Amino acid sequence: MSNCKCDNLRTRLKGNYTSVNDTVSAVAEKAMEAYCQGTFSVGGMMLDSEGNLLNTMHNNVVMNNKTNDPTAHGERQLVDWYYDQIAKGVPMPPPNEITIVTSLDPCCMCSGSILTSGFKVVSASFDTFSGINYNTQADFPSLDPKLRPIAQETFSYPEVVGTTCFARPASSAAVPAFFTQQTIAQNAQALCTSVFNATLTQVQNTVNNDLPPEQLLNPQSLAENDPIIEKLKSVYRDALTYVAPARGKPDLGLASHLIRALLIDYDQGGDGNAVAFLDYFGNLLLCLPGNQTASAIQTAFMSTTRSYAKLRYELREDPDVGERALKYLCHPKYGTFVFARGPNSSSKSLIDFGAYGSTMEEKLPAVNPLSFQYVVASMTQADLTQYCQRLPPLYSEAIGVYPTQVKDQLLIDEVMSFLPENK
């Protein structure tokens, strides 16, 4: 797919969109660009309240046959682009006057981003595996009961006109009023569905094309001037200064790193969260805050998983390092993410659940079943497990997204004492 000649698809999308079918055809074209790039074939665009195009994006999870950013879904990129424009002082309409049109029903990460921000959505195709409307009934069983009516006013699934199995009635919210033509032709919808399905398995294999644990080497064995270490410490200066006593068992020694980051997160618009990433050997590689002052969806986990992916991608693209980086920087599924605050049923936690699922992309390995841990609980473990069981099948069944609390009580007590509400 990545060698496909698709210059004829790279049209400059612009102008005003008042036809749902024309808009869906345009995002299908973006999905075809993604196909030719060798990444998940999903496209999206952002329109103002009169149908004027603000921006368009396609999925960029994979670039150059390597994982670039597991969170680089079209919708998430559009939301962050919006906040980036605001930060630059570019006049933008408020989110409730903006509609994101996507070729595929948004995943948990993108749905959480949309609900947190307040945009509207029009979805061309259902996604019965990872979409927020996975049961196609528009009752949104994955969401907290307080969020379900908001979703029903936010997500639109227009009527698909035709005589084949692609046809469907309209459901959920009404299509925004600026669309004077409000249905999708079955051919446009079929293209959105089929081009995504055509890439699914290959891209999942690319994301998980990595070294097994027995071939990993401890980065502690590298010299300080090795480009892998220099690059790692340019992202997080305290990398490799803490080692867990055993894989997946962080202790009190991690507390100072989490506390420092969570206080920054609080100052940057978050609730005082931080996420550490420990590698297969228990080494601390990253511990980062979010920055929700810059973007409402830039949670601590989003910062951490995206930074780690960028680190690995850039090293693999470096001719002096290349694939050697994979020997020392393991696939995230062999490491442990430790949240200062545990997730809950909010839209921001939905972002994190989805981003974690996109980072893993397949069932957790038996050698590392507890790769998602938290220190201070935000809801009971029983309620959290029950909530996770309602997530779309990709997360609840295929991957197994079930966070658990760390075992070290000293770590829990120390981090809890520094949370903003306890100071």
Side-chain angles (χ1 to χ4, degrees), residues 14-324:
K14 58 184 179 180
N16 180 265
Y17 288 83
T18 57
S19 163
V20 168
N21 191 66
D22 289 349
T23 311
V24 167
S25 295
V27 297
E29 182 170 307
K30 296 302 294 183
M32 287 190 286
E33 288 185 20
Y35 177 95
C36 293
Q37 182 175 302
T39 190
F40 292 111
S41 300
V42 182
M45 61 171 37
M46 180 176 279
L47 306 175
D48 70 11
S49 60
E50 296 180 351
N52 296 306
L53 177 66
L54 299 175
N55 198 9
T56 183
M57 296 262 190
H58 63 63
N59 184 286
N60 280 296
V61 167
V62 173
M63 296 179 67
N64 298 323
N65 296 315
K66 304 176 185 70
T67 300
N68 163 56
D69 176 357
T71 76
H73 295 193
E75 305 95 319
R76 195 280 298 160
Q77 293 177 100
L78 285 168
V79 174
D80 266 334
W81 173 84
Y82 171 87
Y83 286 112
D84 186 55
Q85 299 308 296
I86 297 290
K88 292 176 179 177
V90 178
M92 297 291 286
N96 63 359
E97 294 181 8
I98 289 177
T99 299
I100 294 174
V101 181
T102 179
S103 62
L104 190 73
D105 188 35
C107 69
C108 285
M109 174 184 65
C110 294
S111 296
S113 299
I114 289 162
L115 290 167
T116 296
S117 305
F119 300 103
K120 298 182 179 68
V121 190
V122 172
S123 296
S125 300
F126 292 135
D127 180 352
T128 58
F129 192 48
S130 59
I132 198 64
N133 186 22
Y134 70 91
N135 67 357
T136 75
Q137 300 303 303
D139 56 359
F140 303 103
S142 298
L143 299 180
D144 183 280
K146 294 179 181 178
L147 286 174
R148 290 173 193 170
I150 298 173
Q152 289 168 335
E153 296 174 357
T154 298
F155 290 78
S156 300
Y157 302 92
E159 178 185 0
V160 176
V161 179
T163 58
T164 70
C165 62
F166 291 99
R168 73 178 185 211
S171 59
S172 200
V175 173
F178 66 82
F179 284 118
T180 56
Q181 186 280 327
Q182 299 193 341
T183 61
I184 305 172
Q186 62 183 8
N187 288 352
Q189 200 269 0
L191 177 58
C192 291
T193 301
S194 59
V195 73
F196 172 72
N197 289 336
T199 60
L200 185 57
T201 299
Q202 179 174 332
V203 180
Q204 287 177 326
N205 290 340
T206 299
V207 171
N208 284 287
N209 182 23
D210 232 295
L211 295 179
E214 58 269 21
Q215 294 182 30
L216 296 174
L217 301 175
N218 194 329
Q220 296 277 8
S221 65
L222 292 171
E224 281 291 318
N225 64 349
D226 188 284
I228 294 176
I229 299 298
E230 290 181 339
K231 184 73 170 178
L232 175 60
K233 295 206 170 188
S234 73
V235 179
Y236 183 61
R237 67 181 183 182
D238 290 331
L240 305 178
T241 61
Y242 166 78
V243 184
R247 186 183 315 118
K249 295 183 178 180
D251 67 358
L252 181 61
L254 184 59
S256 62
H257 300 277
L258 288 169
I259 290 165
R260 186 162 55 248
L262 72 84
L263 293 175
I264 296 172
D265 180 83
Y266 184 73
D267 288 340
Q268 295 182 162
D271 61 355
N273 207 347
V275 174
F277 179 65
L278 311 180
D279 71 6
Y280 181 72
F281 302 97
N283 298 305
L284 174 65
L285 299 187
L286 298 175
C287 186
L288 301 176
N291 190 353
Q292 290 166 59
T293 298
S295 169
I297 67 169
Q298 193 173 325
T299 66
F301 181 73
M302 291 290 280
S303 295
T304 303
T305 192
R306 291 175 65 186
S307 295
Y308 187 62
K310 181 180 180 182
L311 169 70
R312 295 206 332 149
Y313 179 82
E314 291 181 351
L315 284 169
R316 293 176 72 188
E317 288 285 283
D318 185 338
D320 294 329
V321 180
E323 297 303 289
R324 183 170 72 92

